Amino acid sequence: MSLADLVNNNLKGFDPKKDNINGGGNGLPAGDYKVSISEAGHTVYKSGYDCLKFKFEVIEGEHTGESELMNVSFAETSKKGNPIPDFVLERNMKTILTLSELMDAGVTSDMFLLGNETDIHVAIDKRIHDKVGVVVNMNISERPNKKDPSNPYKEYEFSEAKQPENIDIDDDDLPF
């Protein structure tokens, strides 16, 4: 994204007298988007957070060119040692199974039984990492975050989208 795009897309409404410098950058607002899955795979952040990371790039509409990052983890406890709620893990499983189906990646529910989150993430990564470029419909909704009201929780739904047609180009089609 160019500086001009950043100015046009991210500085609208920014008030340097009262807005937080670190605010924004939280991805796309709630809504419906046609996106391309531009990244998909296992990652471990410097903090030690181990997850599957997805990057979705909007390909149509007002937010074309903008992206949304989504991390999905199968850790059963938080970094503080607290159990991750069952509904979160179940939602993460359903998210991965849905994306896998849309990506034609072949992830199965048996992969969630591999013992620890790293093994699960690595196994799923082997199925999804080379499936980028698939176009899907993404709906983002938000729900309140009581601990940090300025940073609502995001919820995602994905559905099938028409894939772009492949264009065959050979050497005769090139201008030089």
Side-chain angles (χ1 to χ4, degrees):
M1 187 176 284
S2 71
L3 289 176
D5 290 336
L6 289 170
V7 168
N8 291 329
N9 295 327
N10 299 334
L11 292 183
K12 291 177 186 170
F14 176 73
D15 184 346
K17 292 180 182 175
K18 49 185 174 166
D19 290 345
N20 183 339
I21 292 171
N22 297 307
N26 291 332
L28 298 165
D32 293 313
Y33 303 94
K34 190 172 198 176
V35 297
S36 173
I37 302 172
S38 60
E39 290 180 33
H42 176 229
T43 193
V44 179
Y45 290 96
K46 289 180 185 177
S47 66
Y49 182 67
D50 188 334
C51 63
L52 293 165
K53 178 174 113 176
F54 293 85
K55 182 176 181 183
F56 304 96
E57 292 189 19
V58 180
I59 60 170
E60 281 184 2
E62 175 185 354
H63 294 278
T64 298
E66 295 181 47
S67 60
E68 177 78 9
L69 294 177
M70 181 184 74
N71 292 322
V72 178
S73 178
F74 294 102
E76 295 183 66
T77 57
S78 70
K79 66 181 177 182
K80 292 181 180 179
N82 299 325
I84 301 294
D86 288 347
F87 81 90
V88 172
L89 293 169
E90 181 182 347
R91 181 187 62 218
N92 289 352
M93 289 179 203
K94 289 176 178 178
T95 298
I96 293 302
L97 289 171
T98 298
L99 284 171
S100 168
E101 181 68 24
L102 295 170
M103 298 169 78
D104 194 27
V107 173
T108 64
S109 56
D110 295 350
M111 294 176 153
F112 303 124
L113 305 174
L114 293 175
N116 65 59
E117 72 262 25
T118 300
D119 291 345
I120 295 167
H121 299 151
V122 168
I124 293 171
D125 175 69
K126 289 178 182 175
R127 301 283 179 104
I128 64 172
H129 78 274
D130 64 346
K131 300 291 186 173
V132 295
V134 173
V135 174
V136 299
N137 293 313
M138 177 176 69
N139 172 271
I140 301 173
S141 59
E142 295 179 343
R143 60 183 175 83
N145 179 344
K146 293 177 188 174
K147 293 181 183 177
D148 184 3
S150 66
N151 189 23
Y153 294 113
K154 288 190 171 185
E155 295 178 343
Y156 302 90
E157 288 289 338
F158 300 95
S159 62
E160 188 173 10
K162 183 178 179 192
Q163 299 303 303
E165 292 182 29
N166 288 335
I167 300 172
D168 292 326
I169 298 176
D170 60 28
D171 289 341
D172 296 332
D173 297 321
L174 298 175
F176 45 87

